[in-house]
């Protein structure tokens, strides 16, 4: 029993086998960032390739972007994440030059480009609608940017061919955009954005129009292209799974404000606010006040009468209002009462969501709280299966939760 | 907003059509107004005072007066011409709506493959000369014309019809010439209505005729409104139709203006007539412009 | 959805089109009438067309009309396209409401007012009246129609296509010529055709702004119509109707064939299911 639980915890924290779940960790060498050591944001001697300095954008009396300061480093795959209307697209469009900030500066590679028009900026963008030129062939579209530079014809053909073969578009070279499928159009749009070999490629919800299966393929393709070209990619997305999959760092935005900038792992494990905890993955949140502080742990009196003990690095004072955030996969669910009385709640199973490899259990506690726990559907479970209306116990270790103050 | 980034070029694009319209559309109205305060003269140009720098602006202004306006308001002929123009335009706008609505409705509900062809058939007459289309009606409406011959042969009437040179002929002419202007906005708004709305209304127990009045017609009102403005405003100032089809008793202000200008060569009086006509139309024109602007905003 | 004509709809459409087309048909048929009486059929003849060819005044008027039409349609299309770009793409600027007012008002402004006011401005500017003043007048009112036609197309044009071009290094001017113009070209062509036809048709504004020696075809036709209906006018009308019909039909045919071809290519690319 104890072995099973440890195994589950190991699975959850190290590398998750749950294919379609939000917490699925990233594959590929760079995404295991801490190991490979790709963390330029930790290196004070490096200067960022993009720096937003106190950027504010107002449309009439609506503040789309509010005092954003952000550094993005060379070769990063950086994601701007947030719900629609949070200002992420506006921030990207200011970097491309389509919008001008009301206040603040945009600096690219040390040069202030705040006042440069879009056609003089060293960035290229892949548009949400793809924005392919309907009257030009695939070749014509990809070569458009190079022609603006006045590059010799044979050189253009070479570069277009390079981009086309990188994205497997050669066979469509003479086709017009309306003769391509959605996935092919998406690849043309990407090829066009990288053909000029810009230092920074901007992607505005680049995969939003694709269906789920194609989207996952395309995410890995984006990562492959980003790695082979060694370009800095900045992606705007509202899909947290997509951001987790592709990005080296994620900036979460809410109502025009940057809420947290961190690696996907950090954001998942140590969300700064309830908003982020809820936005990325599933989470159970208990409201309460700090009852006691000591030896790296704090005790929380939850609103509904429970007492929790949890490890916390957050500076808090006794009596302060806090929230305890618990990921479903960190909560153990069992029929028997656990040995330790710490962080243990009884309840009744109300709903079970069967997702193949895992199941979600929605448990109603005595005070009426609804808690979600998650358990892998291992084939050789020795335990009796948990079923509807079963009385169960939920418990978790002191290091499972995160204490939030906002 | 994208072009905002480069300031100067943007102003060149705006300036060309802007200046053109200022010089040839807006400023002329001020000149018309100024001239409406002048007096007629046997000279070239046939009015006085003409502005000259040597005499100074003070003397020029002192010679302007409202004589033409008092004349117009004092003569029932002009007042009646305004009123009858409004009446004719109003009635014929309503008649056009009556003819156009069933057509637009039928077109919007026609098989999808037919719709482009039907649209083109509506637009085609609009591209052919206005004058020619009015001319075609003379041969139909005159006493020995096609309509009389046809009806006499059918035995419906025994005497030739007296339609030509009456206000009825003007109504027919306006309905006929402005029909496409009414059909197109009507069709556009009717075509947008989701047919499942009508199905829902009927499903909820509304009979087809009631469903039409409770669902289709209210939803087509923007089209009705746009079409009526497109017909009413130009019809008020119409000249060719009352001149060719109407009789001497058909008073319309466009015709009066034309006569003052070409026959009596009284430019100041013609200008005063124009100013008053513009005053009558300014409200519907502003409504029309607002509406177009709204359509444009919605289209973004 | 497989809709069919209902009895009511079929009737209203048939009656409506009969009303629209019977007068024109009668006019065309009787242009081939042997008799001088326009309403009594006396046998097939093309003699009225022959007599047109000998009418030098009519031919002169036609030539003036065509020159005015070509001239004003071309300038009006350029100005109208700029105006459309201004309306759709320039956002807000001082005097914008006035500008949109000046674009939309001429569409409904009675011809007599436009004609009179243009004449007075030409007199005030000291222009010699004739070919040029008619052309200037026609440019002014047709450019608004051109603007409306191009504007409609620009509106449903994905703005990010232009942004993409600028993002890839094209300046606003070269974006317009390389991307915007090719895409809106069909609407620019229709704007030109519409301006040309409107100029060809106009009687009232031309009558006000003309001077000695410049008589347009509508003015000529008008002066003859006032004297009565003659088969000669039927003949010239038929020619004008024929030109416009052929023009509109072939334009429609070309567009249709183009969209059919695009549809075929698309199908071919994806197989029948696509």
């Amino acid at each position: 029993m104890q072995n099973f639980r440890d195994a589950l915890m190991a699975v959850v924290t190290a590398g998750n086998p749950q294919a379609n779940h939000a917490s699925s960790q990233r594959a590929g060498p760079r995404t295991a960032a801490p190991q490979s050591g790709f963390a330029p944001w930790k290196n004070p001697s490096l200067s960022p390739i993009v720096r937003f300095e106190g950027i504010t954008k107002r449309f009439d009396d609506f503040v789309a972007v509010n005092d954003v300061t952000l550094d993005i480093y060379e070769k990063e795959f950086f994601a701007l994440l947030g719900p629609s209307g949070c200002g992420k697209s506006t921030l990207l469009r200011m970097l491309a030059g389509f919008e001008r900030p009301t206040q603040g500066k945009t600096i690219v590679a040390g040069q202030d480009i705040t006042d440069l028009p879009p056609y003089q900026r060293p960035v290229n963008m892949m548009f949400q609608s793809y924005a392919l030129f309907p009257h030009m062939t695939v070749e014509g579209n990809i070569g458009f940017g190079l022609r603006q530079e006045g590059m010799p014809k044979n050189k253009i053909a070479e570069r277009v061919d390079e981009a086309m073969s990188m994205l497997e578009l050669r066979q469509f070279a003479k086709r017009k955009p309306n003769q391509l499928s959605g996935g092919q159009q998406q690849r043309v749009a990407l090829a066009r954005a990288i053909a000029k070999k810009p230092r920074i490629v901007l992607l505005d919800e680049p995969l939003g129009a694709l269906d789920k299966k194609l989207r996952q393929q395309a995410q890995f393709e984006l990562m492959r292209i980003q790695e082979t070209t060694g370009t800095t990619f900045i992606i705007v997305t509202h899909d947290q799974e997509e951001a987790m999959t592709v990005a080296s760092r994620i900036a979460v935005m809410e109502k025009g404000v940057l809420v947290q900038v961190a690696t996907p792992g950090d954001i998942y494990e140590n969300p700064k606010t309830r908003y982020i905890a809820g936005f990325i993955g599933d989470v159970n949140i208990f409201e309460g006040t700090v009852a006691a502080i000591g030896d790296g742990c704090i005790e929380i009196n939850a609103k509904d009468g429970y007492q929790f003990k949890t490890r916390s690095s957050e500076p808090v004072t006794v009596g302060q209002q806090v929230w305890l955030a618990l990921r479903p996969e960190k909560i153990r669910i069992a029929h028997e009462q656990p040995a330790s009385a710490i962080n243990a709640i009884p309840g009744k199973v109300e709903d079970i969501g069967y997702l193949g490899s895992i199941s979600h259990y929605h448990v109603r506690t005595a005070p009426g709280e609804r808690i979600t726990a998650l358990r892998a559907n291992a084939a050789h479970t020795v335990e009796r299966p948990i079923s509807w209306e079963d009385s169960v116990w939920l418990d978790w270790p002191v290091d499972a939760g995160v204490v939030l103050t906002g | 907003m994208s072009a905002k980034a480069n300031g100067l070029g943007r102003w060149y694009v705006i300036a060309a059509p802007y200046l053109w319209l200022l010089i040839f559309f807006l400023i002329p109205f001020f000149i018309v107004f100024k001239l409406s305060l002048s007096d007629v003269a046997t000279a070239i140009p046939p009015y006085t005072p003409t502005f000259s720098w040597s005499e100074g602006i003070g003397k020029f202004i002192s010679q302007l007066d409202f004589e033409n306006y008092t004349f117009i308001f004092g003569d029932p002929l002009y007042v009646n011409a305004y009123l009858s123009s409004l009446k004719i335009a109003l009635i014929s706008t309503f008649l056009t709506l009556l003819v156009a609505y069933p057509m637009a409705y039928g077109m919007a509900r026609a098989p999808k493959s037919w719709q482009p062809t039907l649209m083109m058939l509506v637009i085609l007459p609009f591209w052919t000369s206005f004058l020619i289309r009015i001319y075609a009606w003379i041969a139909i409406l005159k006493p020995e014309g096609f309509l009389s011959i046809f009806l006499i042969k059918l035995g419906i009437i025994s005497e030739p019809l007296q339609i030509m040179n009456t206000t009825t002929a003007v109504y027919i002419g306006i309905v006929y010439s402005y029909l496409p202007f009414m059909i197109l906005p009507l069709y556009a708004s009717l075509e947008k209505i989701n047919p499942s709305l009508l199905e829902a209304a009927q499903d909820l127990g509304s009979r087809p005729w009631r469903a039409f009045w409770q669902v289709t017609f209210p939803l087509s009102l923007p089209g009705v409104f746009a079409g009526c403005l497109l017909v009413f405003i130009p019809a008020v100032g119409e000249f060719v139709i009352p001149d060719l089809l109407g009789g001497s008793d058909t008073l319309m202000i466009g015709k009066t203006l034309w006569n003052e200008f070409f026959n009596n060569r009284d430019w100041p009086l013609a200008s005063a007539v124009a100013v008053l006509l513009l005053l009558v139309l300014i409200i519907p024109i502003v409504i029309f412009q607002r509406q177009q602007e709204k359509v444009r905003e919605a289209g973004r | 959805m497989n809709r069919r004509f209902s009895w009511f709809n079929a009737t209203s459409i048939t009656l409506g089109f009969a009303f629209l087309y019977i007068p024109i048909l009668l006019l065309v048929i009787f242009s081939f009438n042997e008799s001088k009486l326009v309403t009594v059929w006396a046998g097939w003849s093309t003699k009225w067309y022959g007599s047109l060819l000998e009418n030098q005044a009519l031919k002169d008027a036609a030539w003036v009309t065509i020159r005015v039409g070509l001239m004003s349609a071309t300038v009006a299309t350029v100005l109208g396209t700029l105006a459309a770009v201004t309306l759709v793409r320039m956002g807000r600027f001082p005097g914008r409401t006035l500008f949109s007012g000046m674009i939309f008002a001429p569409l409904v402004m009675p011809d007599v007012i436009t004609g009179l006011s243009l004449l007075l401005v030409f007199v005030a500017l000291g222009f010699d009246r004739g070919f040029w003043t008619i052309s200037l007048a026609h440019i002014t009112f047709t450019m608004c129609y051109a603007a409306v036609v191009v504007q409609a197309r620009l509106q449903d044009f994905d703005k990010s296509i232009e942004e993409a071009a600028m993002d890839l290094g094209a300046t606003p001017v070269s974006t317009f010529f390389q991307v915007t113009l090719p895409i809106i070209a069909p609407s620019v062509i229709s704007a030109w055709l519409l301006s040309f036809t409107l100029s060809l048709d106009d009687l009232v504004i031309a009558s006000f702004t003309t001077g000695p020696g410049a008589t347009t075809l509508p003015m000529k036709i008008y002066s003859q119509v006032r004297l009565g209906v003659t088969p000669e006018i039927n003949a010239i009308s038929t020619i004008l109707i024929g030109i416009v019909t052929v023009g509109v039909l072939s334009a429609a045919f070309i567009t249709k064939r183009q969209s059919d071809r695009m549809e075929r290519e698309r199908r071919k690319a994806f197989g029948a299911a696509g």
Side-chain angles (χ1 to χ4, degrees):
Chain A
M1 237 278 293
Q2 188 64 40
N3 289 347
F4 170 72
R5 179 182 153 180
D6 290 347
L8 183 57
M9 279 302 154
V11 159
V12 163
T13 45
N16 205 321
Q18 301 145 3
N20 283 331
H21 186 249
S23 64
S24 64
Q25 297 294 304
R26 292 117 10 246
R30 185 192 27 67
T31 47
Q35 287 96 313
S36 70
F38 178 79
W41 53 89
K42 286 186 179 158
N43 185 347
S45 67
L46 279 177
S47 58
I49 184 159
V50 176
R51 165 166 276 171
F52 292 113
E53 256 181 45
I55 294 273
T56 297
K57 174 71 185 178
R58 272 185 221 104
F59 294 108
D60 296 322
D61 43 2
F62 171 70
V63 184
V65 174
N66 194 353
D67 194 22
V68 165
T69 296
L70 176 64
D71 285 350
I72 296 168
Y73 292 84
E74 190 134 34
K75 296 193 180 165
E76 264 201 273
F77 200 139
F78 194 92
L80 290 166
L81 177 64
S84 61
C86 72
K88 56 190 191 308
S89 280
T90 309
L91 192 61
L92 194 76
R93 288 172 59 81
M94 283 192 281
L95 183 52
F98 301 131
E99 308 285 353
R100 208 182 261 201
T102 318
Q103 264 163 43
K105 276 198 285 189
T106 318
I107 293 159
V108 169
Q111 188 200 354
D112 184 350
I113 62 158
T114 318
D115 294 324
L116 279 190
Y119 46 90
Q120 286 169 6
R121 297 191 177 207
V123 298
N124 285 141
M125 178 139 157
M126 180 180 164
F127 289 79
Q128 182 172 15
S129 62
Y130 307 144
L132 299 177
F133 306 126
H135 57 301
M136 295 180 194
T137 59
V138 167
E139 273 179 332
N141 265 283
I142 298 174
F144 185 89
L146 303 168
R147 288 200 299 278
Q148 308 309 312
E149 287 178 347
M151 191 183 265
K153 274 216 169 87
N154 54 337
K155 195 91 202 304
I156 293 179
E158 216 173 88
R159 289 274 285 274
V160 169
D161 193 65
E162 191 185 328
M164 283 197 299
S165 57
M166 198 182 287
L167 283 145
E168 287 154 37
L169 286 166
R170 271 222 186 94
Q171 69 211 86
F172 309 118
K174 302 285 181 217
R175 288 215 189 149
K176 296 265 181 78
N178 68 336
Q179 295 162 255
L180 300 174
S181 71
Q184 290 158 356
Q185 291 182 10
Q186 181 262 330
R187 267 148 52 206
V188 177
L190 180 58
R192 189 177 69 178
I194 63 169
K196 284 185 85 172
K197 302 196 172 165
R199 301 190 63 177
I200 304 160
V201 173
L202 310 178
L203 308 112
D204 185 5
E205 301 272 7
L207 313 176
L210 301 181
D211 60 48
K212 187 157 184 163
K213 205 173 156 217
L214 217 50
R215 192 155 67 221
Q216 283 172 347
Q217 254 177 44
Q219 283 166 4
F220 287 106
E221 188 158 51
L222 280 184
M223 290 159 67
R224 177 176 65 83
I225 301 283
Q226 194 260 338
E227 265 159 44
T228 41
T229 58
T231 317
T232 309
F233 272 33
I234 303 177
I235 186 173
V236 155
T237 178
H238 65 272
D239 179 348
Q240 38 102 2
E241 224 177 292
E242 184 166 289
M244 301 284 276
T245 307
V246 300
S248 59
R249 275 197 307 160
I250 298 176
V252 184
M253 288 183 75
E254 184 194 8
K255 291 178 186 154
V257 179
L258 268 191
V259 207
Q260 187 171 11
V261 183
T263 61
D266 265 355
I267 288 204
Y268 186 76
E269 298 292 338
N270 299 305
K272 244 188 181 164
T273 65
R274 281 173 293 155
Y275 169 78
I276 296 178
F279 191 65
I280 295 173
D282 292 330
V283 73
N284 298 296
I285 293 194
F286 299 95
E287 192 180 340
T289 50
V290 179
I293 305 173
D295 64 318
C297 279
I298 63 170
E299 271 170 41
I300 298 170
N301 282 337
K303 235 171 85 182
D304 38 19
Y306 297 117
Q307 274 232 335
F308 301 132
K309 191 173 175 185
T310 189
R311 204 158 273 163
S312 170
S313 50
E314 199 77 16
V316 288
T317 54
V318 174
Q320 188 184 344
Q321 187 182 36
V322 291
W323 290 268
L324 178 67
L326 269 175
R327 296 285 179 198
E329 72 273 8
K330 304 209 171 164
I331 300 179
R332 193 184 75 111
I333 181 169
H335 284 109
E336 302 81 17
Q337 182 167 8
S340 153
I342 299 172
N343 300 339
I345 317 178
K348 202 169 234 179
V349 177
E350 240 185 25
D351 246 323
I352 302 176
Y354 176 74
L355 296 173
S357 55
I358 53 162
S359 290
H360 286 265
Y361 297 89
H362 300 293
V363 176
R364 184 74 69 181
T365 63
E369 193 114 10
R370 202 171 134 101
I371 300 173
T372 306
L374 188 150
R375 193 161 86 155
N377 295 322
H380 315 290
T381 301
V382 280
E383 286 174 289
R384 166 163 75 89
I386 293 170
S387 156
W388 283 271
E389 298 296 319
D390 278 3
S391 290
V392 291
W393 280 88
L394 303 171
D395 76 304
W396 57 90
V398 290
D399 56 358
V402 181
V403 175
L404 306 171
T405 54
Chain B
M1 222 158 271
S2 49
K4 257 188 188 159
N6 87 326
L8 202 63
R10 180 168 174 253
W11 287 110
Y12 286 131
V13 172
I14 297 177
Y18 208 130
L19 288 178
W20 186 286
L21 287 171
L22 275 183
I23 296 171
F24 292 114
F25 184 72
L26 194 65
I27 293 177
F29 288 133
F30 292 103
I31 300 180
V32 171
F33 180 67
K34 188 225 85 181
L35 193 62
S36 72
L37 304 175
S38 309
D39 297 316
V40 67
T42 38
I44 294 175
Y47 53 82
T48 177
T50 45
F51 183 74
S52 76
W53 288 109
S54 55
E55 290 174 15
I57 196 143
K59 181 159 187 284
F60 173 73
I61 289 175
S62 69
Q63 284 179 312
L64 299 175
D65 55 49
F66 286 93
E67 199 182 343
N68 292 311
Y69 293 95
T70 46
F71 179 71
I72 289 173
F73 284 113
D75 190 336
L77 187 75
Y78 294 98
V79 179
N80 285 343
Y82 279 109
L83 293 178
S84 118
S85 294
L86 288 175
K87 192 185 109 199
I88 290 174
L90 216 57
I91 293 175
S92 40
T93 303
F94 181 67
L95 293 175
T96 314
L97 180 64
L98 283 189
V99 176
Y101 205 102
M103 274 188 84
Y105 186 84
M107 282 170 61
R109 320 238 123 218
K112 275 267 175 275
S113 55
W114 276 73
Q115 291 193 8
T117 315
L118 294 174
M119 269 289 273
M120 211 190 60
L121 283 174
V122 170
I123 297 171
L124 193 58
F126 166 74
W127 289 76
T128 48
S129 169
F130 194 74
L131 186 61
I132 291 173
R133 283 183 293 146
I134 296 304
Y135 167 74
W137 276 95
I138 298 179
I140 296 176
L141 295 177
K142 62 182 189 173
E144 66 278 18
F146 295 116
L147 189 63
S148 289
I149 294 174
F150 183 68
L151 292 177
I152 287 173
K153 271 201 181 143
L154 284 181
I156 295 173
I157 54 166
S158 51
E159 291 285 302
L161 283 172
Q162 295 298 332
I163 297 181
M164 191 63 194
N165 297 334
T166 67
T167 312
T168 313
V170 176
Y171 289 142
I172 294 175
I174 295 180
V175 172
Y176 180 72
S177 336
Y178 288 99
L179 196 58
F181 289 103
M182 186 67 94
I183 293 178
L184 292 178
L186 277 180
Y187 168 79
S189 65
L190 283 168
E191 198 253 351
K192 268 194 294 208
I193 298 174
N194 189 339
S196 55
L197 287 181
L198 269 186
E199 288 169 1
Q202 295 192 14
D203 180 61
L204 295 167
S206 184
R207 292 186 175 279
W209 184 242
R210 282 188 59 144
F212 171 80
W213 282 110
Q214 291 178 335
V215 178
T216 311
F217 188 71
L219 286 173
S220 70
L221 277 177
V224 171
F225 198 57
C228 286
L229 284 174
L230 276 173
V231 174
F232 177 77
I233 302 171
V236 173
E238 186 51 58
F239 162 70
V240 177
I241 297 172
D243 187 60
L244 292 182
L245 297 181
S248 50
D249 58 331
T250 312
L251 276 178
M252 280 195 84
I253 201 66
K255 211 172 121 184
T256 311
L257 195 157
W258 179 284
N259 285 338
E260 289 303 337
F261 184 86
F262 287 101
N263 302 349
N264 303 342
R265 280 186 64 79
D266 191 339
W267 291 19
L269 191 61
S271 300
V273 170
V275 168
L276 290 177
L277 176 54
L278 198 62
L279 282 180
V280 170
L281 292 180
I282 197 88
I283 292 166
I285 288 176
V286 167
I287 296 173
F288 172 74
Q289 186 250 324
R290 286 272 168 81
Q291 193 194 22
Q292 292 297 309
E293 190 70 3
K294 246 189 357 217
V295 170
R296 207 189 58 69
E297 292 291 334
R300 312 197 95 182
Chain C
M1 188 178 321
N2 212 348
R3 272 188 275 172
R4 291 176 44 209
F5 281 111
S6 74
W7 180 85
F8 174 80
N9 293 343
T11 314
S12 57
I13 291 179
T14 314
L15 286 179
F17 282 120
F19 177 59
L20 275 178
Y21 282 95
I22 285 177
I24 298 175
L25 276 180
L26 285 173
L27 181 140
V28 171
I29 292 169
F30 279 83
S31 72
F32 297 104
N33 192 2
E34 171 74 37
S35 160
K36 198 165 169 53
L37 289 169
V38 218
T39 47
V40 183
W41 185 257
W44 179 264
S45 157
T46 53
K47 67 177 179 190
W48 305 112
Y49 290 87
S51 78
L52 278 186
L53 288 177
E54 283 150 34
N55 189 335
Q56 189 56 43
L58 215 54
K59 279 193 283 183
D60 288 346
W63 179 229
V64 171
T65 311
I66 289 170
R67 270 162 55 220
V68 169
L70 291 175
M71 169 82 196
S72 55
T74 307
V75 180
T77 304
V78 173
L79 287 171
T81 304
L82 289 178
V85 170
T86 303
L87 277 177
V88 181
R89 287 283 190 266
M90 293 302 183
R92 268 173 280 171
F93 57 88
R96 200 205 132 88
T97 312
L98 176 66
F99 184 70
S100 95
M102 291 193 299
I103 292 291
F104 291 115
L107 303 182
V108 287
M109 189 61 72
D111 289 346
V112 282
I113 298 185
T114 313
L116 176 67
S117 60
L118 277 164
L119 164 74
L120 295 183
V121 87
F122 295 145
V123 170
L125 290 171
F127 288 176
D128 279 339
R129 276 172 284 152
F131 170 81
W132 286 103
T133 47
I134 300 178
S135 299
L136 286 175
H138 282 185
I139 291 167
T140 308
F141 89 98
T142 58
M143 73 174 270
C144 300
Y145 284 88
V148 170
V149 170
V150 176
Q151 180 214 244
R153 177 71 189 88
L154 269 179
Q155 249 165 37
D156 50 50
F157 176 115
D158 181 6
K159 206 171 94 178
S160 56
I161 291 181
E162 286 169 358
E163 289 179 346
M166 280 194 253
D167 183 64
L168 292 163
T171 60
V173 173
S174 77
T175 298
F176 181 79
F177 285 105
Q178 289 185 79
V179 175
T180 315
L181 195 56
I183 296 175
I184 63 167
S187 73
V188 174
I189 293 169
S190 358
W192 189 92
L193 287 172
L194 181 61
S195 307
F196 184 71
T197 335
L198 287 168
S199 162
L200 226 60
D201 283 356
D202 168 65
L203 163 71
V204 175
I205 295 173
S207 299
F208 273 101
T209 52
T210 188
T215 305
T216 64
L217 205 51
M219 288 159 69
K220 199 86 200 157
I221 293 175
Y222 173 73
S223 62
Q224 290 197 18
V225 168
R226 287 190 62 102
L227 302 176
V229 181
T230 70
E232 253 187 344
I233 306 176
N234 279 28
I236 181 105
S237 302
T238 302
I239 292 174
L240 286 175
I241 292 171
I243 292 171
V244 168
T245 310
V246 168
V248 172
L249 288 184
S250 55
F253 181 70
I254 290 168
T255 342
K256 172 114 176 62
R257 223 180 44 180
Q258 237 172 10
S259 68
D260 282 356
R261 204 185 60 212
M262 259 157 68
E263 182 59 20
R264 261 207 315 281
E265 283 172 353
R266 212 180 63 81
R267 289 249 170 101
K268 213 166 65 191
F270 299 128

